[in-house]
Amino acid sequence: MTGGAGVSGTLRGARRPGPAWVVMLVCTLLACTNNPYPDADADKKILYTSFREAPRTLDPAVAYTTSAHAITGAVYETLLEYHYLKRPYTLIPGLAAGLPDTRSDAEGVTVYRFELRPGVLYQEDPSFGLGGAGRTTREVSTADIEFQLMRLADPAVNSPVVEPLSNVLGFRDFGERLRVRREAEPEFATLPAHEQYADVGPIEGVVVDAPLGLAVYVASDYPQILYWFAMPFTTPMPWEAVQYYDGEDGRPRLADHPVGAGPYVLAEYDKQARYVLDVNPNWYGVRHPEWKAPAATYPSEGEPEDLAAGRLDPAYVGRPLPFIERLEARREKEAIPYFNKFLQGYYDAAGVIRESFDKVIHEGGLSDEMARRGISLEKSVEPTVFYIGFNMDDEVIGTVAQEPGRKLRQAMSLVVDTEEYNRLFSNGRGVPAQSPLPPGIFGYDPDYVNPYRLVDLERARGLMKAAGYADGIDPETGKPLTLTFDTPDTSAQGRLRFEFFTHAWRQLGIDVEVAATNYNKFQEKVRNGAYQIFMWGWVADYPDPENFLFLLWSDMARSASGGPNTANFKHPRYDELYLEMKSKPNGEERMVLIREMTDILQRERPWIELNHAEDYALFHDWLSNVKPFGMSFPTVKYRDLDAGARTRQREAWNEPVLWPLYALIIIFVAVTVPGVVTFIRERQ
Amino acid sequence: MEAWVFSNIVVAILITAAVGLTGVVLRSRMWSNAFLSLWRRRRVAIIAIGFYVLVALLDSVSWVGGEQFGEDAVAKYQAQSILDRAFAGIRERSYSAPLASVEFYGGAPLVHPGRHLLGTDLLGRDVLHLALKGARVALLIGGLTSLIAIPLALLFGVSAGYFGGRIDDFVFFIMSTLASMPGLLLLITLIMVMGKSTFSVCIALAVTGWVGFCRVSRGETIKLRELEYISAARALGVGEMRIIFRHILPNLAHLVIITFVLMFSGLVLSEAILSWLGIGVDGSWGQMIDQARDELSRDPIVWWNISAAGSALFGLILAVNFVGDALRDVMDPRTLREGE
Amino acid sequence: MLAYVIRRMAYGVIVVLGVLFFLFLLFFTVTSPDDVARKALGERVPEAVVEQWKVNHGYDKPLFPEPGAWTDNMLVEHYRRMLTFDFGRSDADDTPIADRLRAGVGPSLALTVPLFTFSLLASIPLALLVALFRDTYIDRMGVVLCVLAMSVSILLYIIGAQYLIGRLLHWFPISGFDADPRVVVRFLALPLLVGLVAGIGGDVRFYRTVFIEESNTDFVRTARAKGCGEARIMGRHVLRNSLIPILTQVVLAIPFLFTGSLLLESFFGIPGLGAITVDAINGNDFSVLRTMVYIGSLLFVGGQILTDLSYGLVDPRVRLE
Amino acid sequence: MSRLLSVEGLTTRFPLAGVHVPIVDESTFAIDRGEVLALVGESGCGKSMTALSIMRLVPKPGRIHSGRVELLGRDLLGLSVTEMRAVRGGRISMIFQEPMTSLNPVMRCGDQVVEAIRLHDEVSRKDALARCRELFVQVGIPDPDARLRAYPHQLSGGLKQRVMIAMALSTRPELLIADEPTTALDVTIQAQILRQLLELRREIGMSILLITHDLGIVNELADRVAVMYAGRIIEQGERTDVLGRALHPYTQGLLRSMPALATPGRRLPEIPGVVPSPAEWPMGCRFATRCQLAEDRCRREVPGATARSDNHVASCHAVEEGRAQAPAGGEPEGAAR
């Protein structure tokens, strides 16, 4: 019992019966310690983290959320990975022996040829018994990657990344063949997936030319495809697991039981309470440290700030990964308990739940209390953008409204003070956004200032007047212009945010009503196009401007294709520039195109860009090698911790304070005894 | 009709009704005795409730116009209540402690130093203003719900108790069905299905809350029906409706009042839980508490928000509980014990 | 006796059927299965996937019996599945609801059973004590304290306890749960404490009223006249007779131990049925919510029968027939 | 005969609308061994409260204000709670007016009597049960074995009262206080029970304080009579004296309104007015508001006791001044039994 020393210490002198006995009784009964972990785990290298909601699925073909990637990224291994320390983000080989050979094939097609490391094994899993009695693992082959790519194309799997991967030749065609075949032969649809795929024939652009060789044929204007090979979507997937984990006869579903070749295995998974990742003894980094594989060895190069932060400590450089033997994530629905437990030393880092760290950081730095506790802070700008969007199909604020609509949007943009917004809602965290592109992404210009993202009430009022809404009065009704801000967020914090925006717009005389409905109603509104203003965010899949600018491409318009262009922004010149920019390599030419695109956005204002989130990771001093990583990519394998130091600190910080208990008992006795005495005396 | 006009009319009706009721109470010896005895026992609590009611009324009487609304250019076109006018245009930029002259974090000078008796919230809104506005919401929840639930319960309870037979069976079945669903879940489900609004919260609270009172009024009606003078009236051929309205309902009046008071605190507390689930009523204390929850982890801690909302809620519930207790003693010693 | 139980159960069944109909109206006619599907699958899903999902969850049939589908419709299906306890899969994440219920019952009971026991153990003696000291300042203070305790929103209790006891005093973990019984005591301590304090005001006050009413009866006077001491009177005569009204509350509460506590569980991170329910509410998971309401009413009906039977045990005047 | 219980100046007060009203006011009377004293008065005059005061069972918020209650020379009001508990049910037992509600509904009758026995005597449960059975036979309960196991609601009112009597007698008390023991019962059963009580008195040799408003019963049972009006004892003496030669105008009125004494064919005389409620009690003689002989002094001064003979005392100015009418009613029949 961690608090035991404190308890017995307080009680030592008290032998006579009295309040001390009660305290002792209460403490033994209720185990007076706030340590949430079994005492036996105190000295193990276990990293404690948390999750808010269990991911809906852990199927790497579908899982697309940060909380899911925290598991799938550690359990599934990919051909490529990002360098842990280098910025801008750089791809390094993962399962692949090296970066792929790239050559141009026929007209407009590029071939990427991967070579897989030999002798890489999957984790131990009973499903491999399907491939031969008694087998519990097998070697990873490129056919498994082909299988997974087929799954991505399979309409029944319903992968969210069909769109970008359709740049692979024959990708959509494969899905279509599958669909037609299934409709024609209901029998066929009941076969195991890998048999169906084999029967339908390969994806044209995916060629397994050797057991460990894989060539992928991709449209030349989509060089970003490589990034997808650094994401769990394209992991090798054993067909055995897909067939075996079908949710029938007590077997879990694949969505709840990942089977991969990554550094960790999911040892325990209770969606309501916790999950545990244990080191995978079959991981190639563990079995073959002598390979010194780039993704299984602590990196030796990085940025200057890494050296300063001790992330290039010679004690770690070149050592085989991983260091942490187990990761235990507990469910924390509420931010406060999570953060308090972090302060008590029961979580090692507060970097997963965002709400928590804005509580302790003021004016960009750590509070004194945090610093005293040896807590460190790592800031990094995430490749994200948060924005308020206008529905450009709307009659009042959209493209239809022509010039008045544009002026209205410009005016509304001019009064939203992002600095203040950041100060109030994230303690100054976040970079005020001038365009959709965040720092660290090509095309971001630190010197660019969007004239409509300055705060200028006077100019905004002028624009309102020019738009025909002098003082915000709608000439048709003679009353303030009324707009609606739709959101599915009914939380308390959400309400405050919206109140902030509506207050800003009320200065212009615009009355914006917040319609915080439930998610169903919100989706229905979005589907029907019955919305005016909304708030949204985008987290990059990969570090390329294309992944941001496509959010305003007319092909992606929600109203037309159900795409993520919820603003329904349709601008022919923008589209033209976008398509040209997309396949260009980073360089001056591309920069010029991007600049013209941002100019269009600056003028048209389909969005009010708010900020690019800044990640403030707090961690205790016993945790080392922490570097914030913007992309949804787990970095547990690089981290290390000192369990002994942790235990000592926890004990020092969590000694139970018992005097209030004594005080309560004394007050109770003091108040009741006279009454009891009088009562008894009266009856004599 | 615009909402604020309606609200003003309701206030007028309420005040007229209150004056009328006072007249009735003064004329009836039984009622005025009961009230006198209540007043003697629970003076402070009654004054406290009176204060809440007054604040709610001040927040309900509103009109359009005026110029003192500061940065807010929309406010002058919208109806503003007396309470809102009293606090108009004193918004700050962010947190400030009670009666402070600088912002809580960063220490920038306030626009209106020393004006905020209970400080300001994240968005610089005056906390005293927000806390006082909660009174109207709380009374609205309690009042509107009771207004729906009590007539419903009386209608079903009295007709079941009086007519018996099929009607009784039917009402009893409906009551058992509703009562057997877990209250809070039913409440939440109803609100989720009806969509979030003050009115649907009240309807949901009424649907889940009327059963208890229905049971009491049914039982009491059965008892009354057996009384000799009512049997006699029936034997003399007095009409059923006349018996119900002249003899049964007046004898249920004290039950109605006690139920109303006892129900009230439960309703307001339930709303706090709904707020936590994100389906409460806008501007309620529950919502303020929910918003202020995270502030306890701020460093230095922001305590005035949660304290203001918490104690405003606590004060009202406490006063109502005390009065309800005494009311039960004064008016009815036994019938409502189940209502605990 | 047997006839009584059978009659009582038959009525219970009718009530449950009524509840199911009400639930059907609420969940199927007011919200469309398409909404639920889109919510579960995401917005960019092809129509075919939505249709498949509806088939998998049984939401693709006509709502009410109609020519050609007298039995193959959602109303009949709804009754069939609920009555056979085949709850199907969650709308939100496709896990079998029965599995979730099984997983949630344990943690819920781990919280509610001790809470229930401790509440009774604490509030009945306290109420007896307060009743014993009636008309002294201890009684008056007790009643005032009870009303004070009742008037605080449970949210404030939870927030306060987590802040004060968990964060400042370090007595117990702020929240969480563990399967290991040695560790789980630590986690349960705080929610138990909060549950006790939040409930004790109302309980003590109610029990006190009952006790005082019972101790003003003639038979208590008789007992005094024959020389019984006050403690014996409270313990033997008053308590036994008070059990009758108290039973209504207590026995009826027992079935609900299974459904857990919405607030305590979700604030304190206990993965019980209450927390599952709150998750279902937040995630618009109607299938889980529907199941929980149904189970709740089953338990309630069962609890009522149990209460009636226990009357027969406690009160010799009651004969069940 | 020796003095068993003497009550002197017993005053019990109840707070009513802020004033402490003496519901029992300066009561003084005594009971000898083996004697039956009847305490007579209209309902609400303080008879029962006098009895409860003797037992020290005055319900809250009332309390005994002053006076002495001596049992064989020991003041009961000075005893500790434990000592008093031994007196209650041990040396003084009490039976109540409401047999229907005076038994614990959830305990078997036998157990309730056994509890009474074992509270005072250290006997085994079995022995106590045997004694209980004897008592049941003694008080005339048919089929005692079945009744031992019966719950109160399974018995008739008369049987319940018999169980109460059995319980009261179980410890062979020196004094039995019977508070309107038969009021709630049928007339036929009343007679049976009263006869039984007298018999038992003879057998056990105890004294009885009989509280009643029924002068017929008084006539049949009592040795001595005390008449109470509005909290005060206004007249007491031998049965023959009080019933035969009543001094106090109230007693006279009471006797006149007894149907048994009325002249057939004439309207039953009644005392005009109603008993005032405790809050409205007059300052002087409390009967003054209804007394035909009342004068100023009656309304101002509390009358002292005027002794007619050694054993016959009345508190009335008219009696003191000799203005009172001749004793009314004459010798009631049966009085000389």
Side-chain angles (χ1 to χ4, degrees), chain D residues 48-281:
Chain D
S48 297
M49 211 46 75
T50 309
L52 290 173
S53 300
I54 294 171
M55 296 289 272
R56 280 175 57 190
L57 285 176
V58 178
K60 299 252 165 90
R63 51 185 304 175
I64 300 170
H65 176 254
S66 59
R68 293 176 70 78
V69 179
E70 281 178 13
L71 184 71
L72 293 175
R74 245 184 116 191
D75 186 7
L76 295 182
L77 301 184
L79 295 185
S80 77
V81 172
T82 342
E83 288 168 324
M84 190 59 211
R85 221 184 280 152
V87 172
R88 279 186 214 130
R91 305 180 65 183
I92 308 178
S93 288
M94 189 163 174
I95 51 180
F96 297 95
Q97 186 175 356
E98 308 87 1
M100 303 301 168
T101 53
S102 292
L103 286 170
N104 187 336
V106 301
M107 272 172 93
R108 292 172 198 278
C109 296
D111 290 342
Q112 299 194 40
V113 180
V114 165
E115 187 188 25
I117 295 172
R118 296 188 57 190
L119 277 168
H120 299 282
D121 295 334
E122 293 206 357
V123 290
S124 72
R125 208 191 119 76
K126 219 177 125 197
D127 293 347
L129 210 63
R131 198 154 116 203
C132 178
R133 191 183 177 281
E134 266 170 52
L135 282 163
F136 274 25
V137 175
Q138 219 174 357
V139 298
I141 297 175
D143 194 3
D145 290 308
R147 306 295 191 236
L148 283 175
R149 284 189 307 275
Y151 284 100
H153 71 277
Q154 294 164 325
L155 304 183
S156 69
L159 277 181
K160 272 188 226 171
Q161 196 60 301
R162 281 173 208 266
V163 171
M164 283 294 294
I165 293 171
M167 197 192 302
L169 299 185
S170 62
T171 50
R172 300 188 161 261
E174 286 149 297
L175 175 66
L176 175 71
I177 302 177
D179 185 359
E180 311 241 10
T182 56
T183 314
L185 304 178
D186 291 345
V187 185
T188 46
I189 306 209
Q190 275 189 14
Q192 279 177 23
I193 294 222
L194 289 173
R195 216 162 302 134
Q196 204 105 43
L197 265 182
L198 274 185
E199 252 167 57
L200 289 165
R201 170 183 72 134
R202 246 171 256 131
E203 270 171 45
I204 301 173
M206 64 184 177
S207 313
I208 297 179
L209 173 61
L210 179 70
I211 294 170
T212 183
H213 62 270
D214 186 340
L215 289 175
I217 293 176
V218 176
N219 200 9
E220 223 170 293
L221 287 180
D223 299 319
R224 292 177 57 242
V225 179
V227 182
M228 255 186 122
Y229 181 79
R232 288 193 190 137
I233 293 183
I234 46 138
E235 180 163 5
Q236 57 176 312
E238 295 293 329
R239 180 193 71 210
T240 42
D241 284 341
V242 175
L243 297 191
R245 286 179 292 278
L247 295 172
H248 200 283
Y250 173 67
T251 319
Q252 293 173 351
L254 211 58
L255 286 169
R256 268 198 297 274
S257 62
M258 256 178 82
L261 302 180
T263 317
R266 272 181 56 189
R267 193 165 179 232
L268 207 56
E270 57 188 29
I271 306 173
V274 289
V275 187
S277 76
E280 296 159 353
W281 282 347

Side-chain angles (χ1 to χ4, degrees), chain D residues 16-39:
Chain D
L16 261 178
V19 189
H20 287 270
V21 181
I23 297 289
V24 178
D25 196 4
E26 297 278 338
S27 281
T28 303
F29 59 91
I31 305 173
D32 288 342
R33 274 196 190 279
E35 186 185 55
V36 178
L37 172 70
L39 195 56

Side-chain angles (χ1 to χ4, degrees), chain B residues 169 172-173 176-182 184-186 188-190 192-193 207 269 272-273 276-277 279 286 289 293 296-298 301 306 310 313-314 317-318 321-322 325 328 333-334 337 340, chain C residues 11 14-15 18-19 22 26-27 30 144 147-148 150-156 159 163 167 205-206 209-210 213 245 249 262-263 266-267 277-278 281-282 284 286 289 292-293 296-297 300-301:
Chain B
D169 290 344
F172 197 79
F173 173 71
S176 321
T177 308
L178 279 178
S180 70
M181 283 184 258
L184 194 57
L185 277 189
L186 179 61
I188 291 159
T189 310
L190 282 170
M192 281 172 72
V193 166
V207 168
L269 287 177
I273 294 173
W276 165 67
L277 286 166
I279 46 179
I289 292 173
R293 215 143 42 90
L296 287 181
S297 317
R298 283 186 179 263
I301 177 175
I306 196 160
L313 175 64
F314 174 68
I317 301 296
L318 187 66
N321 277 344
F322 270 130
D325 241 19
R328 189 167 31 184
R334 277 201 79 110
R337 198 181 59 194
E340 290 263 349
Chain C
Y11 191 72
I14 295 172
V15 166
V19 168
F22 187 74
L26 220 54
F27 282 105
V30 186
V144 169
V147 177
L148 284 175
M150 282 168 64
S151 304
V152 178
S153 166
I154 183 155
L155 292 175
L156 287 175
I159 297 167
Y163 182 71
R167 183 162 168 208
R205 203 172 70 131
F206 172 65
T209 320
V210 174
E213 238 163 58
Q249 288 219 320
L262 294 191
L263 278 106
S266 56
F267 268 96
T277 312
V278 171
I281 293 163
N282 288 331
N284 282 9
F286 285 139
L289 210 53
M292 294 305 301
V293 178
S297 51
F300 181 85
V301 169

Side-chain angles (χ1 to χ4, degrees), chain A residues 392-545:
Chain A
M392 300 299 274
D393 289 344
D394 184 79
E395 287 181 7
V396 181
I397 49 155
T399 332
V400 200
Q402 306 264 324
E403 198 54 30
R406 182 180 299 126
K407 291 226 162 64
L408 182 60
R409 295 194 298 274
Q410 288 170 345
M412 286 176 78
S413 174
L414 274 168
V415 289
V416 175
D417 185 348
T418 312
E419 296 266 1
E420 183 73 0
Y421 176 80
N422 288 346
R423 187 175 80 98
L424 294 184
F425 294 100
S426 43
N427 280 310
R429 277 188 309 143
V431 174
Q434 308 295 328
S435 78
L437 298 175
I441 299 292
F442 182 81
Y444 173 78
D445 179 358
D447 298 327
Y448 169 64
V449 176
N450 185 335
Y452 291 103
R453 293 302 298 116
L454 299 170
V455 182
D456 190 341
L457 189 57
E458 280 320 303
R459 184 165 172 220
R461 290 209 171 112
L463 283 166
M464 288 296 287
K465 202 166 184 181
Y469 300 110
D471 289 334
I473 301 298
D474 184 351
E476 275 180 38
T477 60
K479 293 205 173 126
L481 178 64
T482 306
L483 300 172
T484 313
F485 198 148
D486 283 294
T487 168
D489 183 357
T490 56
S491 74
Q493 280 300 312
R495 247 182 334 262
L496 285 175
R497 275 171 214 268
F498 296 119
E499 160 69 24
F500 174 82
F501 297 126
T502 51
H503 178 71
W505 292 322
R506 281 173 87 93
Q507 296 178 16
L508 294 178
I510 306 173
D511 183 18
V512 179
E513 283 171 8
V514 178
T517 47
N518 65 30
Y519 192 86
N520 283 350
K521 296 240 162 62
F522 177 71
Q523 291 291 10
E524 194 181 298
K525 279 186 168 183
V526 169
R527 250 198 326 278
N528 302 336
Y531 58 104
Q532 288 185 306
I533 308 171
F534 61 95
M535 193 171 145
W536 213 261
W538 181 260
V539 183
D541 297 314
Y542 45 83
D544 193 274

